[in-house]
Every structure is written in C-alpha cells, then in structure tokens.
Amino acid sequence: MHPRCQLLSGQVATVLRAPAATQRTFTTTASLHKKNPLERPRLGGDLGSHLPKHVISKDAHIPDYPYGEQALFKQANKGLYGESMIQFGNNVSHKTETKTRRKWTPNVLSKGLYSVALKKRIKLRVTANVMKTIDREGGLDEYLLKDSVQRIKELGPTGWALRWTLMQRPEVIERLRAEAAALGIEQATIDKQWPTPEMLSQQKYEDRVAARELAAAQAADVEDVEQGMWEGEEGVEEADATAATSPALQQIEIEARKKAKGEYVSAVQAAKRYLKKGLVDSEEEGLKIAFIRQRERMDAKWELQKKFTEKTKAMFTSKDLNQLQTRIGKPLNVFALRKIAYKEHRQAEIEAAGGVEAHRAAYKAANADKFAQIQANIDAAGGPEALQQKSKAEFASAIAEAETASTNTSLDEARRQYLENAINKADRAIKAKATGGVHEYMDMTVEEIKSASNTGLSQLFQGSVQEKEAGGDAWAALVNSSNKPTEHRPNA
C-alpha cells in the first residue's frame, strides 16, 4: 500500500459516515463564509451585461458630439479608446538597417463596467489606459462626468452618448445643480440649464393646459372677440388695450411658440439629411439652406401627403377604417388611421413576398420604367458624384444669395424679405442649438416678434392676418412688420 494511504500505526483507517438524509435540510443561520472585504458591495439594479445601445434611450435627442467621429480609426467610435488609434512605423534591423513596415494597435479590452447612476453593468470596449483612468477617477460615472475639454475629446461618440444619458438621471441632475450653485451661478440659469424632473413635469403640464385652452378657444369661435380687442372699445385707452394680457394675446404667443417649434424641428432634421448626403459641409450650412428652402420643403410635404391620401382612399374604405378604429380602441384622425392601415398592408405584402429584399426586388421589377428614368437622369448629369456636386454648388449659391439679400437691390422686395427672414431664423436656430435647443428657439422667436413691433401687437396681428389672407407668409409678416430701415437690419 502506498505510504500516503497508511496510518502511523500501519493500520488502515475505516471511516464510517452517517447515511445522508433523504430530504434536504434548510437553515436560516448566516453563512460562515466571509466575503472579501475589498469586494464592491452589490448596489442593486440590473447587473446583467448590457451593450451601450441598449442603455441609451432610442428616442432620445442626443446633442451632436462636438469633435465628430473618427475617420481613420473607426472602431474607436464604438468604445472608450481615449484618443488611442492605430499607428504605423518601421522595424529597423541593427545589422543591415533594413526597414520593415509594421503597425501598433491599441490594447483594447472588452470589459463590463458598472454604472452607479444607471444601475447597470455596461459592456464596453476600452483600452488599458482608459481602464487605469477609470480606476483613478473612481468609477465609470466619474470618468464620464468629469468637466474638462480633454476628457470630452477622449470620450468619443459612444462616451458622449453615455455621458448625456447619465446627465438625465435625477441624482446626477441634483449633483450638477449643487456644483453650479457652489460656483455662484444664478438660480434662474441653473433651473434653465439643469431642470429637475418636477420642473419638466410642470412644464409639460403647462403646455398641455395651454394646448387645451387653445383648442377650446378655437372651438368656441372667438373671432368676434379678437376683432373687438384689436379695434378697441369705447372708454378704453389704446395703451391699456395693447399692454393687457388678455386670453387672445396668450393665444397669439401660444400659436407663435407652436409654429416656432415645428419649423425648428423640421429644419434640424432637414439639416441632418443634407449633411448626411454630402450636400453641405456643416450642420450650420444645413440649417441655413433648410430655412431658405422652407417653402419648397413644405410644398413637397403637402404634395406627398396629397398623393398618399389619394392612394389610401382607393385602398381602404370607410368601413375598413372604422374596423381599425374599433380594434385600436382610441380616437384617431382619418390620416393617422390611413397611415396605420397602410403600414399593416405593407407588412403583410413583405411577409407574403418572403422578406424585405424579395419585396424590394418585386417593387423594382414592377416599376422598372420609373427606376430607369431616374438612372437616366443620373447618367445625364454625369453620375452620382457629379449630381451631388451640382446640388452642393446650388445650395452654396442659395446661401450666398440669402446672406447678401439685404444689400442686393436687384432682388424683388418680396424675395428679399423672404431670404432675409430665412437667414434670421437660421441664425436663431444655430444659437439655440448650441444652448437650449427647441425651447431656446421658441423663446428667441417670441422675443423677436415682440421687439420687432414699434406700433403695438394690434398692428402686428392685423398685418399677419392680411398677409395670410393674401396667400403670403404670415409668420414672416409678424417678424418684418416693424418696417425697420436697412441700416437697422441684422444682416444689412
């Protein structure tokens, strides 16, 4: 027998064990196993591994990353690389001094980093240097929230999006508000820059109340009341009538804010499309051409809606829409019902065709003449790149014409006012996008309308009504109704 199997006495030990119980016993006493005291305690929340795209809200409007995406090392756009990128050089032989081309790649790790504010473990691709920085800062949240120019440059698009997501959490907002108050920033500025969830909820409630009041006013047919207010009543001075905060004045401001919000959102979306297609060099140029082409875009939108309405009228009857309304269970207008019905019809066609690619191929085969005509137009222009450069040159020319419209005497007066007003809107949108977004643009537009009036809101309202009845741009009439001389115009 092997010595390790023998006892000191030379006898083999027989170990007898009690038979195991047939039923498992449970105990409520604490475990005797002591955990590592340096181990981070369980903080609660979903500790599963989540990719950044599952953590960031899909419908969130994240501000554009100020430094743009990496063009040479594109994988850095999908992780925390800390400005590290691939480098190229040579291996030099000591004997023959022969140079051999080589490259150095960053030490990229795939790590799951826990976010205390989000209560999730986020799976990220990070470099070893960034991991050291995160440990030194005290965690992922501290690394993302550090307020320095160099840190913003290191984040990249993914880190920027995660930073924005963190800054929407209530605990982070409270922290930022406390830091701003410690720096001596005014409370009004703090409330505007970092509103609490309660403030946002109150603002949404006020917007809903204002919308209901506006709908009630429109349903009650208040035209006679408005006319009496603008014309004045006997025994009431004109100054008092202009300065009074009546419901009609509030209605005008509500309509102005709604119009400003719609045109800002539409212009920003159009600017992003132009930039993605390569028709402009920056988003600022995209905003300018979006406001310059506002009429063309609106005409195209209404034309598409008109064609869609005619098409869906032939496809769906009133009975079909009524059945869809009953199935949905909530009131919707006719246009929304037609959109839902068309979407379901198209989804059924895709499933019947066997997939999206098959459905697309069948659609191209059915509309071969249309696609052939489009291709012929592209070939006639010299190819896609030539067509793109032509459109880009036309946009640049339109922007230059609009920027010099205030001093261009060869332009028609109506065209000059339209271009000047478009550039003013674009300038406000560019400033608003850099500060507060759509709410800042609405505030700036309302202030512009108020300051543009030298004769009171009554003439502003009358001028806009007359312009609207004549088929013109009532919104431009509100802004330009002050009839300021050329030397007082901002772009003159």
Side-chain angles (χ1 to χ4, degrees), residues 40-264:
R40 180 175 295 178
R42 183 180 179 91
L43 300 177
D46 189 358
L47 295 180
S49 181
H50 301 272
L51 293 174
K53 64 180 181 180
H54 298 142
V55 175
I56 302 169
S57 179
K58 294 182 176 57
D59 57 347
H61 177 68
I62 301 176
D64 294 334
Y65 182 51
Y67 298 99
E69 295 185 350
Q70 276 276 5
L72 299 178
F73 194 53
K74 294 186 178 181
Q75 65 172 288
N77 298 323
K78 298 182 179 180
L80 301 179
Y81 282 63
E83 293 188 303
S84 298
M85 62 181 300
I86 189 170
Q87 297 181 5
F88 298 91
N90 298 314
N91 283 337
V92 182
S93 173
H94 292 289
K95 295 183 178 180
T96 62
E97 296 187 358
T98 303
K99 294 182 179 180
T100 306
R101 198 65 177 166
R102 64 157 297 178
K103 63 181 179 179
W104 291 268
T105 57
N107 184 11
V108 182
L109 311 172
S110 183
K111 291 289 184 179
L113 304 176
Y114 185 79
S115 171
V116 178
L118 298 177
K119 296 183 179 180
K120 293 182 183 297
R121 190 165 66 91
I122 306 173
K123 188 176 182 180
L124 287 167
R125 291 174 62 85
V126 298
T127 61
N129 289 333
V130 173
M131 280 297 301
K132 293 179 182 178
T133 306
I134 291 174
D135 292 339
R136 184 175 65 250
E137 294 288 350
L140 178 63
D141 294 355
E142 300 298 327
Y143 175 80
L144 294 174
L145 294 175
K146 184 174 181 179
D147 191 10
S148 67
V149 177
Q150 183 60 31
R151 180 55 50 82
I152 299 299
K153 289 182 179 179
E154 292 179 3
L155 290 180
T158 300
W160 175 261
L162 288 173
R163 173 189 173 95
W164 184 90
T165 305
L166 279 176
M167 294 177 68
Q168 310 309 309
R169 303 295 299 176
E171 54 270 24
V172 178
I173 292 175
E174 291 297 331
R175 168 183 166 180
L176 296 177
R177 289 171 62 88
E179 292 177 355
L183 293 174
I185 301 176
E186 297 180 357
Q187 189 63 35
T189 305
I190 295 176
D191 293 339
K192 184 176 181 180
Q193 186 70 23
W194 298 285
T196 62
E198 293 77 12
M199 294 178 183
L200 294 176
S201 178
Q202 180 66 22
Q203 182 63 36
K204 290 180 180 179
Y205 173 75
E206 292 176 357
D207 293 342
R208 290 196 299 269
V209 171
R212 286 197 296 267
E213 291 178 354
L214 177 60
Q218 291 176 348
D221 191 16
V222 295
E223 294 181 358
D224 296 336
V225 178
E226 292 176 355
Q227 185 177 1
M229 183 194 70
W230 297 120
E231 293 179 357
E233 299 179 0
E234 296 181 0
V236 180
E237 296 182 359
E238 183 179 356
D240 294 337
T242 304
T245 57
S246 60
L249 288 176
Q250 295 178 1
Q251 178 182 348
I252 294 173
E253 184 173 348
I254 291 171
E255 291 178 351
R257 296 181 71 87
K258 289 176 62 178
K259 182 69 177 292
K261 180 179 180 180
E263 68 183 12
Y264 176 83

Side-chain angles (χ1 to χ4, degrees), residues 408-423:
N408 191 354
T409 58
S410 62
L411 284 176
D412 181 67
E413 182 64 19
R415 177 66 177 172
R416 182 194 62 77
Q417 291 184 2
Y418 175 79
L419 292 177
E420 187 176 354
N421 185 55
I423 288 296

